[in-house]
Amino acid sequence: MTEKMFLFSLGESLFALELKRVEEVIRVPELFKVPLTPEYIAGVTSFRGNFIPVIDLHQKLFGKVSAITPGMLVVCNYGEYIGFLVTERKGIETLKKEHLKESSEEFIEGIYLEGDREVRLLNAENLVKVKRVEETSRLRSTASKKTPVSSTVKQQEKGYLVFKIAGKEYAFPLDAIAEVTRASEVREVPNPPPGVLGIINWRQLVIPVVDTSKALSMEQRSIKRMLIVQHKGQKVAFQVEDVAGIMKIPKESIQPAPAYIRRKNHTEVSGTYSSEGTLILILTPEALLNKEITEFAGDKKKVGEAAMKSPAGVIEEKYLFFNVGEWIFGLNVKHILELKNKEDITKIPRSPGFLAGIVEKRGNIIPIIDTNKLFSLGLNEELKKLVILEYEKNKTLGLLADKLLGIYSLSKEEIMPLSASFEEAEVARFIEATTKIENKAAFLLKPEKLLRADEARKVNSRIRKYKKEKNTYGKNQSSGS
Protein backbone atom coordinates (compact mmCIF):
# COMPACT_ATOMS: atom_id res chain seq x y z
CA MET A 1 0.00 0.00 0.00
CA THR A 2 1.05 3.58 -0.58
CA GLU A 3 0.26 6.90 1.04
CA LYS A 4 0.45 10.31 -0.55
CA MET A 5 2.55 12.60 1.64
CA PHE A 6 3.50 16.25 1.80
CA LEU A 7 7.26 16.53 2.39
CA PHE A 8 9.03 19.46 4.03
CA SER A 9 12.31 20.24 5.76
CA LEU A 10 13.19 21.48 9.23
CA GLY A 11 16.79 22.58 8.91
CA GLU A 12 18.58 19.62 7.36
CA SER A 13 15.98 17.01 8.42
CA LEU A 14 13.17 15.76 6.19
CA PHE A 15 9.61 15.31 7.49
CA ALA A 16 6.22 14.30 6.09
CA LEU A 17 2.55 14.99 6.78
CA GLU A 18 -0.43 13.09 5.40
CA LEU A 19 -1.48 15.02 2.31
CA LYS A 20 -5.18 14.59 3.12
CA ARG A 21 -4.62 16.78 6.19
CA VAL A 22 -2.91 19.62 4.32
CA GLU A 23 -5.23 22.48 3.40
CA GLU A 24 -2.81 25.11 2.15
CA VAL A 25 0.89 25.95 1.99
CA ILE A 26 1.71 29.66 2.01
CA ARG A 27 4.48 32.10 2.76
CA VAL A 28 4.74 32.93 6.44
CA PRO A 29 2.05 35.59 7.06
CA GLU A 30 1.82 38.17 9.82
CA LEU A 31 1.71 36.40 13.18
CA PHE A 32 0.10 37.74 16.35
CA LYS A 33 1.82 36.49 19.50
CA VAL A 34 -0.44 35.17 22.25
CA PRO A 35 0.69 35.98 25.82
CA LEU A 36 1.37 33.22 28.37
CA THR A 37 1.80 30.50 25.77
CA PRO A 38 4.72 28.09 25.33
CA GLU A 39 7.63 29.26 23.19
CA TYR A 40 6.79 26.76 20.45
CA ILE A 41 3.47 28.54 19.81
CA ALA A 42 4.59 31.27 17.42
CA GLY A 43 1.21 33.00 17.64
CA VAL A 44 -2.01 33.09 15.65
CA THR A 45 -2.73 34.18 12.10
CA SER A 46 -5.83 34.81 10.03
CA PHE A 47 -6.92 31.93 7.80
CA ARG A 48 -10.27 31.77 6.00
CA GLY A 49 -11.85 34.26 8.36
CA ASN A 50 -10.60 32.69 11.61
CA PHE A 51 -7.49 33.02 13.73
CA ILE A 52 -5.61 29.76 13.87
CA PRO A 53 -2.70 28.71 16.13
CA VAL A 54 0.74 28.54 14.53
CA ILE A 55 3.29 26.03 15.85
CA ASP A 56 7.05 26.50 15.39
CA LEU A 57 7.86 22.87 14.62
CA HIS A 58 11.63 23.22 15.02
CA GLN A 59 11.17 24.76 18.47
CA LYS A 60 8.69 22.06 19.48
CA LEU A 61 10.66 19.06 18.19
CA PHE A 62 14.21 20.15 19.00
CA GLY A 63 13.63 22.50 21.94
CA LYS A 64 15.39 25.45 20.32
CA VAL A 65 14.89 28.09 17.67
CA SER A 66 16.16 27.11 14.23
CA ALA A 67 19.19 28.92 12.85
CA ILE A 68 17.29 29.04 9.55
CA THR A 69 14.26 31.33 9.41
CA PRO A 70 11.05 29.40 8.60
CA GLY A 71 10.01 30.05 5.02
CA MET A 72 6.58 28.43 4.76
CA LEU A 73 3.38 27.93 6.75
CA VAL A 74 1.63 24.58 6.31
CA VAL A 75 -2.05 24.75 7.35
CA CYS A 76 -3.59 21.40 8.29
CA ASN A 77 -7.12 20.38 9.21
CA TYR A 78 -7.56 18.26 12.33
CA GLY A 79 -11.13 19.25 13.11
CA GLU A 80 -9.75 22.77 13.48
CA TYR A 81 -7.04 24.45 11.44
CA ILE A 82 -3.47 24.32 12.77
CA GLY A 83 -0.50 26.05 11.15
CA PHE A 84 3.05 24.65 11.19
CA LEU A 85 6.14 26.75 10.49
CA VAL A 86 8.61 24.81 8.34
CA THR A 87 11.90 25.63 6.66
CA GLU A 88 11.02 24.68 3.10
CA ARG A 89 8.49 22.64 1.14
CA LYS A 90 9.90 19.61 -0.64
CA GLY A 91 6.89 18.50 -2.65
CA ILE A 92 4.36 15.66 -2.72
CA GLU A 93 5.42 12.03 -2.90
CA THR A 94 3.76 8.64 -2.72
CA LEU A 95 5.53 6.63 0.00
CA LYS A 96 5.20 2.89 0.49
CA LYS A 97 3.90 1.70 3.84
CA GLU A 98 6.29 -1.26 3.88
CA HIS A 99 9.14 1.26 4.14
CA LEU A 100 7.63 2.80 7.30
CA LYS A 101 9.51 1.72 10.43
CA GLU A 102 8.43 2.29 14.03
CA SER A 103 9.89 5.22 15.95
CA SER A 104 10.35 5.77 19.68
CA GLU A 105 10.24 9.55 19.23
CA GLU A 106 7.21 11.10 20.92
CA PHE A 107 6.01 13.20 18.01
CA ILE A 108 7.08 10.89 15.17
CA GLU A 109 4.63 8.25 13.99
CA GLY A 110 7.28 6.39 12.02
CA ILE A 111 10.31 6.76 9.74
CA TYR A 112 10.28 6.01 6.03
CA LEU A 113 13.62 4.42 5.13
CA GLU A 114 14.35 4.44 1.40
CA GLY A 115 18.01 3.90 0.58
CA ASP A 116 20.07 6.55 2.37
CA ARG A 117 17.07 8.83 2.87
CA GLU A 118 15.07 9.13 6.10
CA VAL A 119 11.66 10.81 6.12
CA ARG A 120 10.02 11.24 9.55
CA LEU A 121 6.22 11.03 9.52
CA LEU A 122 4.96 13.67 11.92
CA ASN A 123 2.33 12.68 14.47
CA ALA A 124 0.70 16.11 14.51
CA GLU A 125 -2.15 15.03 16.79
CA ASN A 126 0.36 14.31 19.55
CA LEU A 127 2.00 17.69 18.97
CA VAL A 128 -1.05 19.78 19.70
CA LYS A 129 -4.42 19.27 21.37
CA VAL A 130 -6.79 18.86 18.44
CA LYS A 131 -10.11 17.22 17.77
CA ARG A 132 -10.25 14.07 15.66
CA VAL A 133 -11.99 14.30 12.32
CA GLU A 134 -13.98 11.25 11.31
CA GLU A 135 -13.04 10.28 7.79
CA THR A 136 -13.88 7.37 5.54
CA SER A 137 -11.30 5.57 3.45
CA ARG A 138 -12.85 6.95 0.26
CA LEU A 139 -11.35 10.36 1.13
CA ARG A 140 -7.84 8.98 0.87
CA SER A 141 -5.77 10.30 -1.98
CA THR A 142 -6.58 8.91 -5.40
CA ALA A 143 -2.90 8.03 -5.61
CA SER A 144 -3.61 5.01 -3.37
CA LYS A 145 -5.38 3.35 -6.31
CA LYS A 146 -3.54 0.84 -8.48
CA THR A 147 -3.65 3.15 -11.48
CA PRO A 148 -0.25 4.87 -11.81
CA VAL A 149 -0.42 8.67 -11.60
CA SER A 150 1.45 10.29 -14.47
CA SER A 151 2.24 13.98 -14.72
CA THR A 152 -0.44 14.27 -17.41
CA VAL A 153 -3.09 12.82 -15.09
CA LYS A 154 -2.02 15.18 -12.30
CA GLN A 155 -2.64 18.14 -14.56
CA GLN A 156 -6.15 16.82 -15.31
CA GLU A 157 -7.08 16.34 -11.65
CA LYS A 158 -9.57 18.80 -10.21
CA GLY A 159 -10.37 19.55 -6.59
CA TYR A 160 -13.89 19.08 -5.23
CA LEU A 161 -15.51 19.90 -1.91
CA VAL A 162 -17.68 16.99 -0.76
CA PHE A 163 -20.71 17.72 1.40
CA LYS A 164 -23.83 15.96 2.64
CA ILE A 165 -27.52 16.58 2.11
CA ALA A 166 -30.05 14.10 3.57
CA GLY A 167 -27.22 11.67 4.21
CA LYS A 168 -26.16 11.60 0.54
CA GLU A 169 -22.91 13.02 -0.79
CA TYR A 170 -22.51 15.77 -3.34
CA ALA A 171 -19.55 17.82 -4.52
CA PHE A 172 -18.89 21.34 -5.76
CA PRO A 173 -15.77 22.26 -7.74
CA LEU A 174 -13.30 23.59 -5.21
CA ASP A 175 -12.51 26.66 -7.30
CA ALA A 176 -16.15 27.79 -6.90
CA ILE A 177 -15.90 27.80 -3.08
CA ALA A 178 -14.93 31.09 -1.46
CA GLU A 179 -15.21 29.78 2.11
CA VAL A 180 -16.74 27.08 4.29
CA THR A 181 -18.20 28.46 7.48
CA ARG A 182 -20.38 27.38 10.37
CA ALA A 183 -24.10 27.68 9.83
CA SER A 184 -25.46 30.96 11.14
CA GLU A 185 -28.97 32.17 11.73
CA VAL A 186 -30.67 33.29 8.51
CA ARG A 187 -32.65 36.51 8.47
CA GLU A 188 -35.86 36.35 6.50
CA VAL A 189 -36.55 38.91 3.79
CA PRO A 190 -39.86 39.93 2.22
CA ASN A 191 -40.69 38.24 -1.09
CA PRO A 192 -37.40 36.40 -1.64
CA PRO A 193 -36.73 34.67 -4.98
CA PRO A 194 -37.71 30.98 -5.09
CA GLY A 195 -35.09 28.89 -3.31
CA VAL A 196 -33.76 31.76 -1.17
CA LEU A 197 -34.29 31.40 2.58
CA GLY A 198 -33.03 34.86 3.52
CA ILE A 199 -29.74 36.63 4.08
CA ILE A 200 -26.68 36.48 6.34
CA ASN A 201 -23.81 38.81 7.13
CA TRP A 202 -20.52 37.49 5.83
CA ARG A 203 -17.26 39.45 5.88
CA GLN A 204 -19.13 42.76 5.98
CA LEU A 205 -21.29 41.66 3.04
CA VAL A 206 -24.95 40.77 3.05
CA ILE A 207 -25.45 37.67 0.90
CA PRO A 208 -28.47 35.46 0.10
CA VAL A 209 -28.80 31.92 1.49
CA VAL A 210 -29.99 29.11 -0.77
CA ASP A 211 -31.96 26.14 0.54
CA THR A 212 -29.72 23.48 -1.00
CA SER A 213 -31.90 20.55 0.07
CA LYS A 214 -34.93 22.05 -1.65
CA ALA A 215 -32.94 22.78 -4.80
CA LEU A 216 -31.98 19.09 -4.89
CA SER A 217 -35.50 17.89 -3.97
CA MET A 218 -34.17 16.32 -0.76
CA GLU A 219 -35.45 16.51 2.79
CA GLN A 220 -33.65 18.97 5.06
CA ARG A 221 -31.92 17.69 8.16
CA SER A 222 -29.66 19.40 10.67
CA ILE A 223 -27.68 22.19 9.01
CA LYS A 224 -24.11 22.60 10.31
CA ARG A 225 -22.23 24.37 7.51
CA MET A 226 -22.61 27.01 4.86
CA LEU A 227 -20.67 27.01 1.61
CA ILE A 228 -19.94 30.50 0.33
CA VAL A 229 -19.93 30.15 -3.44
CA GLN A 230 -18.81 32.77 -5.93
CA HIS A 231 -20.69 33.02 -9.21
CA LYS A 232 -20.37 35.82 -11.76
CA GLY A 233 -18.81 38.12 -9.18
CA GLN A 234 -21.58 37.50 -6.63
CA LYS A 235 -21.42 35.56 -3.36
CA VAL A 236 -24.17 33.13 -2.38
CA ALA A 237 -24.37 30.83 0.67
CA PHE A 238 -25.52 27.22 0.29
CA GLN A 239 -26.80 25.43 3.39
CA VAL A 240 -25.43 21.90 3.85
CA GLU A 241 -25.62 19.33 6.61
CA ASP A 242 -21.89 18.83 6.87
CA VAL A 243 -18.66 18.84 4.89
CA ALA A 244 -17.08 15.42 4.30
CA GLY A 245 -13.78 16.63 2.90
CA ILE A 246 -11.86 17.63 -0.20
CA MET A 247 -11.05 15.28 -3.06
CA LYS A 248 -8.92 15.57 -6.15
CA ILE A 249 -10.55 13.54 -8.91
CA PRO A 250 -8.94 12.71 -12.28
CA LYS A 251 -11.06 13.93 -15.15
CA GLU A 252 -11.44 10.44 -16.64
CA SER A 253 -12.80 9.09 -13.33
CA ILE A 254 -15.91 11.28 -13.55
CA GLN A 255 -18.78 9.48 -15.27
CA PRO A 256 -21.92 11.00 -16.84
CA ALA A 257 -24.96 11.50 -14.64
CA PRO A 258 -27.15 8.37 -14.26
CA ALA A 259 -29.86 7.91 -16.87
CA TYR A 260 -32.70 8.51 -14.40
CA ILE A 261 -31.21 11.91 -13.55
CA ARG A 262 -30.76 12.83 -17.22
CA ARG A 263 -34.35 11.83 -17.95
CA LYS A 264 -35.55 14.24 -15.25
CA ASN A 265 -33.42 16.98 -16.83
CA HIS A 266 -31.43 17.67 -13.64
CA THR A 267 -28.85 19.92 -15.28
CA GLU A 268 -27.32 20.77 -11.88
CA VAL A 269 -25.72 17.28 -11.85
CA SER A 270 -22.76 17.40 -14.23
CA GLY A 271 -21.38 13.95 -13.43
CA THR A 272 -20.77 11.23 -10.85
CA TYR A 273 -17.80 9.73 -9.09
CA SER A 274 -17.86 6.29 -7.52
CA SER A 275 -15.46 5.37 -4.73
CA GLU A 276 -15.65 2.10 -2.78
CA GLY A 277 -19.37 1.72 -3.32
CA THR A 278 -20.26 5.35 -2.57
CA LEU A 279 -21.72 7.47 -5.35
CA ILE A 280 -20.95 11.18 -5.28
CA LEU A 281 -22.97 13.51 -7.49
CA ILE A 282 -20.86 16.33 -8.98
CA LEU A 283 -22.90 19.53 -9.01
CA THR A 284 -22.62 22.67 -11.08
CA PRO A 285 -23.27 25.61 -8.71
CA GLU A 286 -24.48 27.96 -11.43
CA ALA A 287 -27.18 25.45 -12.44
CA LEU A 288 -28.58 25.72 -8.90
CA LEU A 289 -28.74 29.49 -9.16
CA ASN A 290 -31.61 30.65 -11.28
CA LYS A 291 -31.69 34.10 -12.83
CA GLU A 292 -33.79 35.55 -10.00
CA ILE A 293 -31.28 34.44 -7.34
CA THR A 294 -28.34 35.83 -9.30
CA GLU A 295 -30.09 39.16 -9.81
CA PHE A 296 -31.07 39.28 -6.13
CA ALA A 297 -27.48 38.64 -5.04
CA GLY A 298 -26.29 41.43 -7.30
CA ASP A 299 -28.93 43.94 -6.20
CA LYS A 300 -27.00 45.61 -3.38
CA LYS A 301 -29.73 48.10 -2.68
CA LYS A 302 -32.47 45.48 -2.37
CA VAL A 303 -30.35 43.15 -0.23
CA GLY A 304 -29.15 46.05 1.90
CA GLU A 305 -32.69 47.31 2.46
CA ALA A 306 -33.75 43.80 3.37
CA ALA A 307 -30.98 43.64 5.93
CA MET A 308 -32.13 46.91 7.47
CA LYS A 309 -35.73 45.68 7.63
CA SER A 310 -34.87 42.29 9.04
CA PRO A 311 -32.69 42.74 12.12
CA ALA A 312 -34.31 39.79 13.88
CA GLY A 313 -31.92 36.98 14.68
CA VAL A 314 -28.79 39.13 14.68
CA ILE A 315 -27.46 39.16 18.22
CA GLU A 316 -24.70 41.68 18.78
CA GLU A 317 -22.90 42.57 21.96
CA LYS A 318 -20.64 45.53 22.57
CA TYR A 319 -17.01 45.13 23.58
CA LEU A 320 -14.41 47.61 24.71
CA PHE A 321 -11.01 47.01 23.12
CA PHE A 322 -7.68 48.30 24.36
CA ASN A 323 -3.98 47.86 23.69
CA VAL A 324 -1.32 46.56 26.02
CA GLY A 325 1.78 46.94 23.88
CA GLU A 326 1.18 45.13 20.60
CA TRP A 327 -1.60 42.99 22.08
CA ILE A 328 -5.30 43.84 21.80
CA PHE A 329 -7.73 42.78 24.52
CA GLY A 330 -11.48 43.14 24.77
CA LEU A 331 -14.07 43.18 27.56
CA ASN A 332 -17.83 43.02 27.30
CA VAL A 333 -19.10 46.54 28.06
CA LYS A 334 -21.55 45.11 30.59
CA HIS A 335 -18.51 44.69 32.87
CA ILE A 336 -17.12 48.22 32.35
CA LEU A 337 -17.60 50.66 35.21
CA GLU A 338 -15.22 53.42 34.24
CA LEU A 339 -12.37 54.46 31.93
CA LYS A 340 -9.83 56.90 33.26
CA ASN A 341 -6.19 57.88 33.46
CA LYS A 342 -4.11 56.15 36.10
CA GLU A 343 -2.98 59.24 38.05
CA ASP A 344 -5.36 58.38 40.88
CA ILE A 345 -3.64 55.07 41.70
CA THR A 346 -2.20 54.74 45.21
CA LYS A 347 0.75 52.38 45.41
CA ILE A 348 0.86 49.84 48.23
CA PRO A 349 4.25 48.72 49.56
CA ARG A 350 5.08 45.00 49.87
CA SER A 351 2.33 44.04 47.40
CA PRO A 352 2.50 41.31 44.69
CA GLY A 353 4.34 42.40 41.57
CA PHE A 354 1.22 42.33 39.39
CA LEU A 355 -0.66 44.67 41.79
CA ALA A 356 -0.03 48.20 40.54
CA GLY A 357 -1.92 49.78 43.41
CA ILE A 358 -5.47 50.72 44.37
CA VAL A 359 -8.05 53.39 43.71
CA GLU A 360 -10.84 54.37 46.06
CA LYS A 361 -14.25 54.79 44.52
CA ARG A 362 -17.39 55.55 46.56
CA GLY A 363 -15.84 54.11 49.68
CA ASN A 364 -14.66 50.93 47.96
CA ILE A 365 -11.03 50.02 47.45
CA ILE A 366 -10.43 48.66 43.96
CA PRO A 367 -7.25 46.70 43.23
CA ILE A 368 -5.48 47.72 40.01
CA ILE A 369 -3.76 44.98 38.04
CA ASP A 370 -0.65 45.64 35.97
CA THR A 371 -1.60 43.65 32.85
CA ASN A 372 1.97 43.83 31.59
CA LYS A 373 3.18 41.85 34.61
CA LEU A 374 0.11 39.63 35.02
CA PHE A 375 0.32 38.48 31.40
CA SER A 376 4.15 38.41 31.40
CA LEU A 377 4.32 40.64 28.33
CA GLY A 378 7.76 42.08 29.08
CA LEU A 379 6.94 45.66 28.09
CA ASN A 380 9.21 48.54 29.09
CA GLU A 381 6.82 51.41 28.47
CA GLU A 382 4.46 52.74 31.12
CA LEU A 383 0.74 51.96 30.85
CA LYS A 384 -1.29 55.15 31.24
CA LYS A 385 -4.95 54.15 30.94
CA LEU A 386 -7.18 52.47 33.50
CA VAL A 387 -10.20 50.25 32.85
CA ILE A 388 -12.35 49.57 35.92
CA LEU A 389 -14.69 46.62 35.66
CA GLU A 390 -17.31 44.85 37.75
CA TYR A 391 -18.19 41.15 37.75
CA GLU A 392 -19.60 38.35 39.92
CA LYS A 393 -21.78 39.96 42.61
CA ASN A 394 -20.22 43.41 42.71
CA LYS A 395 -16.56 42.35 42.60
CA THR A 396 -14.43 45.12 41.13
CA LEU A 397 -11.03 45.19 39.49
CA GLY A 398 -8.96 47.64 37.50
CA LEU A 399 -6.74 46.85 34.50
CA LEU A 400 -3.92 49.04 33.20
CA ALA A 401 -3.98 49.62 29.45
CA ASP A 402 -1.81 51.34 26.90
CA LYS A 403 -4.45 52.84 24.62
CA LEU A 404 -8.23 52.56 24.35
CA LEU A 405 -9.26 51.51 20.84
CA GLY A 406 -12.98 52.07 21.22
CA ILE A 407 -16.20 50.08 21.49
CA TYR A 408 -17.21 47.62 18.78
CA SER A 409 -20.41 45.63 18.28
CA LEU A 410 -19.71 41.96 17.60
CA SER A 411 -22.13 39.34 16.35
CA LYS A 412 -21.90 35.70 17.39
CA GLU A 413 -20.27 34.90 14.06
CA GLU A 414 -17.42 37.33 14.74
CA ILE A 415 -16.45 35.73 18.05
CA MET A 416 -14.36 32.57 17.78
CA PRO A 417 -13.67 30.24 20.72
CA LEU A 418 -10.03 29.96 21.75
CA SER A 419 -8.38 27.17 19.81
CA ALA A 420 -8.22 23.82 21.62
CA SER A 421 -4.46 23.95 21.07
CA PHE A 422 -4.23 26.57 23.83
CA GLU A 423 -6.27 24.68 26.43
CA GLU A 424 -3.24 23.54 28.38
CA ALA A 425 -1.48 26.91 28.18
CA GLU A 426 -1.82 29.48 30.95
CA VAL A 427 -3.46 31.87 28.49
CA ALA A 428 -6.64 29.73 28.51
CA ARG A 429 -7.35 30.80 32.07
CA PHE A 430 -8.17 34.39 31.19
CA ILE A 431 -8.96 34.41 27.43
CA GLU A 432 -12.30 32.96 26.38
CA ALA A 433 -12.41 33.82 22.67
CA THR A 434 -10.72 35.61 19.79
CA THR A 435 -11.96 38.07 17.21
CA LYS A 436 -10.59 40.47 14.64
CA ILE A 437 -10.27 44.24 15.05
CA GLU A 438 -8.87 46.21 12.13
CA ASN A 439 -7.44 42.98 10.69
CA LYS A 440 -5.54 42.22 13.89
CA ALA A 441 -6.11 39.45 16.40
CA ALA A 442 -7.93 40.50 19.56
CA PHE A 443 -8.46 38.44 22.70
CA LEU A 444 -11.65 38.58 24.75
CA LEU A 445 -10.98 38.40 28.48
CA LYS A 446 -12.84 36.50 31.20
CA PRO A 447 -12.98 38.97 34.14
CA GLU A 448 -13.69 36.28 36.74
CA LYS A 449 -10.59 34.33 35.63
CA LEU A 450 -8.06 37.16 35.53
CA LEU A 451 -6.76 36.26 38.97
CA ARG A 452 -6.18 32.74 40.20
CA ALA A 453 -7.47 31.86 43.65
CA ASP A 454 -4.01 32.23 45.20
CA GLU A 455 -3.44 35.57 43.46
CA ALA A 456 -6.83 36.87 44.63
CA ARG A 457 -6.00 35.83 48.21
CA LYS A 458 -2.69 37.72 48.07
CA VAL A 459 -4.44 40.85 46.78
CA ASN A 460 -7.23 40.70 49.36
CA SER A 461 -4.73 40.06 52.16
CA ARG A 462 -2.61 43.05 51.17
CA ILE A 463 -5.67 45.32 50.90
CA ARG A 464 -6.86 44.25 54.37
CA LYS A 465 -3.42 45.08 55.80
CA TYR A 466 -3.50 48.42 53.97
CA LYS A 467 -6.90 49.25 55.48
CA LYS A 468 -5.68 48.28 58.94
CA GLU A 469 -2.48 50.32 58.59
CA LYS A 470 -4.48 53.26 57.26
CA ASN A 471 -6.95 53.11 60.15
CA THR A 472 -4.11 52.81 62.68
CA TYR A 473 -2.33 55.78 61.11
CA GLY A 474 -5.56 57.80 61.17
CA LYS A 475 -6.14 57.06 64.86
CA ASN A 476 -2.55 58.00 65.73
CA GLN A 477 -2.96 61.26 63.86
CA SER A 478 -6.16 62.02 65.76
CA SER A 479 -4.64 61.18 69.14
CA GLY A 480 -1.53 63.21 68.33
CA SER A 481 -3.56 66.28 67.58
Side-chain angles (χ1 to χ4, degrees):
M1 293 182 65
T2 59
E3 287 282 356
K4 210 167 189 180
M5 298 290 173
F6 173 78
L7 271 62
F8 62 92
S9 63
L10 289 176
E12 301 298 322
S13 302
L14 199 56
F15 292 82
L17 279 164
E18 293 175 296
L19 183 61
K20 65 184 180 183
R21 296 292 193 186
V22 178
E23 288 281 328
E24 201 165 317
V25 183
I26 56 177
R27 294 282 181 188
V28 179
E30 183 180 10
L31 300 179
F32 301 96
K33 184 65 180 172
V34 183
L36 295 180
T37 52
E39 286 298 316
Y40 68 83
I41 297 183
V44 295
T45 191
S46 181
F47 180 74
R48 298 183 184 176
N50 291 318
F51 281 107
I52 66 170
V54 175
I55 309 300
D56 185 336
L57 273 183
H58 195 281
Q59 174 89 358
K60 178 66 175 177
L61 296 179
F62 303 113
K64 60 182 179 179
V65 177
S66 174
I68 306 174
T69 303
M72 305 301 296
L73 178 69
V74 182
V75 181
C76 296
N77 189 343
Y78 293 91
E80 64 171 281
Y81 293 121
I82 306 289
F84 297 112
L85 292 178
V86 305
T87 304
E88 186 180 4
R89 77 169 97 191
K90 293 297 183 180
I92 297 172
E93 292 188 24
T94 301
L95 303 179
K96 295 181 179 179
K97 277 193 172 181
E98 57 263 33
H99 292 165
L100 183 64
K101 308 301 179 184
E102 290 186 3
S103 171
S104 59
E105 298 175 59
E106 181 182 2
F107 303 123
I108 303 301
E109 192 167 322
I111 303 176
Y112 286 98
L113 300 175
E114 297 179 341
D116 295 332
R117 189 176 73 158
E118 292 186 359
V119 181
R120 283 172 165 75
L121 177 59
L122 199 67
N123 190 331
E125 291 173 323
N126 283 353
L127 272 172
V128 290
K129 188 179 178 67
V130 292
K131 303 170 186 175
R132 286 290 298 181
V133 177
E134 292 184 5
E135 293 183 316
T136 59
S137 56
R138 64 167 183 74
L139 288 180
R140 293 184 183 275
S141 169
T142 53
S144 64
K145 299 183 181 298
K146 294 181 180 179
T147 306
V149 181
S150 67
S151 59
T152 303
V153 172
K154 285 182 180 179
Q155 292 174 0
Q156 293 176 341
E157 286 183 341
K158 189 173 182 179
Y160 291 87
L161 181 79
V162 183
F163 60 92
K164 291 185 178 182
I165 292 290
K168 297 188 180 297
E169 294 187 342
Y170 301 85
F172 276 156
L174 198 54
D175 55 13
I177 304 295
E179 188 168 317
V180 179
T181 182
R182 294 185 182 90
S184 55
E185 192 167 353
V186 179
R187 286 177 280 166
E188 295 183 359
V189 295
N191 302 316
V196 172
L197 291 169
I199 57 175
I200 59 169
N201 287 322
W202 177 78
R203 292 179 175 267
Q204 299 180 337
L205 295 176
V206 179
I207 60 175
V209 178
V210 172
D211 186 343
T212 317
S213 57
K214 187 175 182 180
L216 297 173
S217 301
M218 305 292 287
E219 66 170 309
Q220 187 182 81
R221 298 181 185 176
S222 175
I223 299 298
K224 295 181 181 179
R225 295 283 186 268
M226 285 190 180
L227 311 182
I228 311 299
V229 172
Q230 182 165 308
H231 174 57
K232 293 184 178 179
Q234 308 301 333
K235 302 287 195 309
V236 178
F238 285 82
Q239 286 188 331
V240 301
E241 289 170 14
D242 212 347
V243 172
I246 294 175
M247 301 182 72
K248 287 186 178 179
I249 305 176
K251 185 177 179 181
E252 64 268 26
S253 296
I254 297 179
Q255 303 299 317
Y260 72 91
I261 291 180
R262 295 199 300 272
R263 283 196 298 270
K264 291 185 178 180
N265 197 29
H266 284 289
T267 57
E268 66 273 10
V269 180
S270 61
T272 62
Y273 175 69
S274 179
S275 175
E276 300 183 4
T278 300
L279 185 69
I280 300 173
L281 298 183
I282 309 295
L283 302 179
T284 305
E286 51 265 33
L288 292 169
L289 300 174
N290 58 43
K291 185 179 179 181
E292 290 179 275
I293 295 176
T294 304
E295 290 179 349
F296 179 76
D299 191 339
K300 305 300 182 185
K301 182 178 179 181
K302 185 175 181 180
V303 174
E305 288 176 350
M308 294 296 291
K309 293 176 182 177
S310 307
V314 177
I315 300 174
E316 291 187 337
E317 292 201 55
K318 292 183 179 180
Y319 287 82
L320 170 75
F321 289 92
F322 56 90
N323 279 105
V324 181
E326 63 182 294
W327 291 272
I328 301 175
F329 298 102
L331 283 162
N332 195 306
V333 294
K334 68 183 180 183
H335 296 302
I336 305 300
L337 283 182
E338 193 173 343
L339 309 174
K340 57 192 301 184
N341 293 326
K342 75 163 195 175
E343 283 82 3
D344 299 332
I345 294 178
T346 301
K347 293 187 179 296
I348 302 179
R350 303 182 302 280
S351 60
F354 60 83
L355 183 62
I358 61 166
V359 295
E360 296 192 41
K361 182 178 176 62
R362 296 174 185 172
N364 295 324
I365 295 179
I366 301 173
I368 307 302
I369 304 303
D370 187 333
T371 47
N372 177 30
K373 293 180 180 178
L374 183 69
F375 301 158
S376 302
L377 303 181
L379 303 177
N380 295 321
E381 60 266 26
E382 184 182 3
L383 302 177
K384 299 180 180 180
K385 299 293 182 181
L386 177 59
V387 181
I388 299 177
L389 52 109
E390 183 179 45
Y391 62 99
E392 282 188 353
K393 298 180 180 179
N394 301 320
K395 291 183 180 179
T396 53
L397 197 65
L399 298 179
L400 291 183
D402 195 1
K403 183 172 64 173
L404 303 177
L405 299 180
I407 294 175
Y408 292 77
S409 294
L410 299 180
S411 65
K412 292 186 296 184
E413 294 80 11
E414 294 174 297
I415 299 174
M416 295 152 276
L418 190 66
S419 167
S421 302
F422 296 121
E423 284 182 5
E424 295 179 358
E426 193 176 356
V427 65
R429 98 174 199 235
F430 60 86
I431 291 179
E432 64 180 348
T434 61
T435 189
K436 186 183 293 186
I437 296 296
E438 298 175 359
N439 291 320
K440 293 185 177 181
F443 307 100
L444 303 183
L445 298 175
K446 297 184 281 191
E448 69 279 7
K449 299 293 185 181
L450 286 170
L451 294 180
R452 291 193 300 259
D454 61 319
E455 293 170 335
R457 283 195 296 269
K458 288 179 182 179
V459 169
N460 292 333
S461 173
R462 193 65 200 93
I463 289 178
R464 283 195 299 270
K465 288 180 180 179
Y466 169 78
K467 286 181 177 179
K468 186 176 180 179
E469 291 168 358
K470 184 180 179 182
N471 289 336
T472 302
Y473 177 77
K475 289 177 180 178
N476 292 337
Q477 287 289 94
S478 298
S479 60
S481 61

